[in-house]
């Protein structure tokens, strides 16, 4: 099953099955997940903007400073935050838009404009063609946009080539 359309339960079941199949099977499964993640990043040029969507108390200047320290210009980081602001916004403008290389998503309203038949705006972006790679800011207890989580995602996406320094 493709990683982008898996439920948390499906993912856990596949990991457990791979674990029960022995170390070689587990390592093979982890590699396949890694390849899927990298493949989704190769669909972008890497030099686009990083969009951060969701409810957060994230300090934008701190995050832009971190990005600068990694060689990513601060003007490549864009924020779409706050439940009230998000409810009335759709994400259609990011579909088939080469200006964006990555979307980092935290907690978002369950109902947003343009969601269609999808359970959430996150599911829509992950399952429809044309969106940049979507990284969920998941901390083990749910979606949460923290500085450390966003730093971790950016470091990971720099390492696998999803975003590039310019």
């Amino acid at each position: 099953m493709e990683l982008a359309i898996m439920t948390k339960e499906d993912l856990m079941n596949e990991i457990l099955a791979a674990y029960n199949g022995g170390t070689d099977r587990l390592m093979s499964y982890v590699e396949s997940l890694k390849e899927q993640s990298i493949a989704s990043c190769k669909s972008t040029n890497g030099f686009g903007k990083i969009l951060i969507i969701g409810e957060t108390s994230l300090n934008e200047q701190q995050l832009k400073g971190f990005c600068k320290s990694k060689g990513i210009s601060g003007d490549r980081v864009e924020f779409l935050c706050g439940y009230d602001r998000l409810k009335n916004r759709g994400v259609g403008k990011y579909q088939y838009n080469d200006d964006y290389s990555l979307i980092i998503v935290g907690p978002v309203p369950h109902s947003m404009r343009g969601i269609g038949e999808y359970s959430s705006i996150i599911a829509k972006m992950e399952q429809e063609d044309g969106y940049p790679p979507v990284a969920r800011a998941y901390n083990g207890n749910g979606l949460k946009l923290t500085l450390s989580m966003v730093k971790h995602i950016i470091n990971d996406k720099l390492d696998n080539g999803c975003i590039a320094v310019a």
Side-chain angles (χ1 to χ4, degrees):
M1 185 178 293
E2 190 176 331
L3 181 61
I5 59 173
M6 287 183 128
T7 65
K8 184 177 173 183
E9 185 177 313
D10 290 338
L11 180 60
M12 292 305 295
N13 288 336
E14 287 205 15
I15 291 171
L16 185 58
Y19 175 77
N20 289 333
T23 305
D24 289 342
R25 184 167 174 207
L26 180 59
M27 293 309 293
S28 174
Y29 183 70
V30 168
E31 282 302 311
S32 75
L33 291 177
K34 213 162 125 183
E35 287 170 14
Q36 285 182 45
S37 176
I38 291 170
S40 73
C41 288
K42 296 300 181 192
S43 64
T44 68
N45 67 19
F47 292 100
K49 294 180 182 180
I50 300 167
L51 177 64
I52 299 170
I53 299 177
E55 183 62 33
T56 186
S57 58
L58 201 63
N59 182 310
E60 294 181 19
Q61 292 309 317
Q62 271 187 314
L63 182 59
K64 287 183 178 190
F66 166 77
C67 288
K68 276 185 171 180
S69 76
K70 293 292 188 175
I72 301 168
S73 171
D75 63 351
R76 285 180 55 199
V77 181
E78 194 173 290
F79 294 87
L80 180 56
C81 300
Y83 278 119
D84 291 337
R85 188 172 171 206
L86 289 166
K87 276 186 181 179
N88 299 318
R89 293 279 302 262
V91 292
K93 82 175 225 172
Y94 307 109
Q95 191 173 24
Y96 299 109
N97 187 336
D98 292 336
D99 291 340
Y100 295 86
S101 292
L102 176 65
I103 299 176
I104 300 173
V105 184
V108 293
H110 293 290
S111 177
M112 286 178 66
R113 198 177 76 195
I115 193 172
E117 69 214 37
Y118 295 97
S119 60
S120 71
I121 204 69
I122 301 169
K124 177 184 176 86
M125 291 187 298
E126 289 176 335
Q127 294 174 31
E128 282 192 3
D129 290 336
Y131 285 98
V134 174
R136 293 178 185 227
Y138 187 80
N139 71 356
N141 294 321
L143 292 172
K144 187 164 183 158
L145 282 171
T146 63
L147 186 59
S148 62
M149 179 57 61
V150 174
K151 283 180 176 182
H152 171 76
I153 291 169
I154 289 173
N155 281 327
D156 179 60
K157 299 305 181 184
L158 280 167
D159 289 345
N160 69 25
C162 186
I163 52 177
V165 295

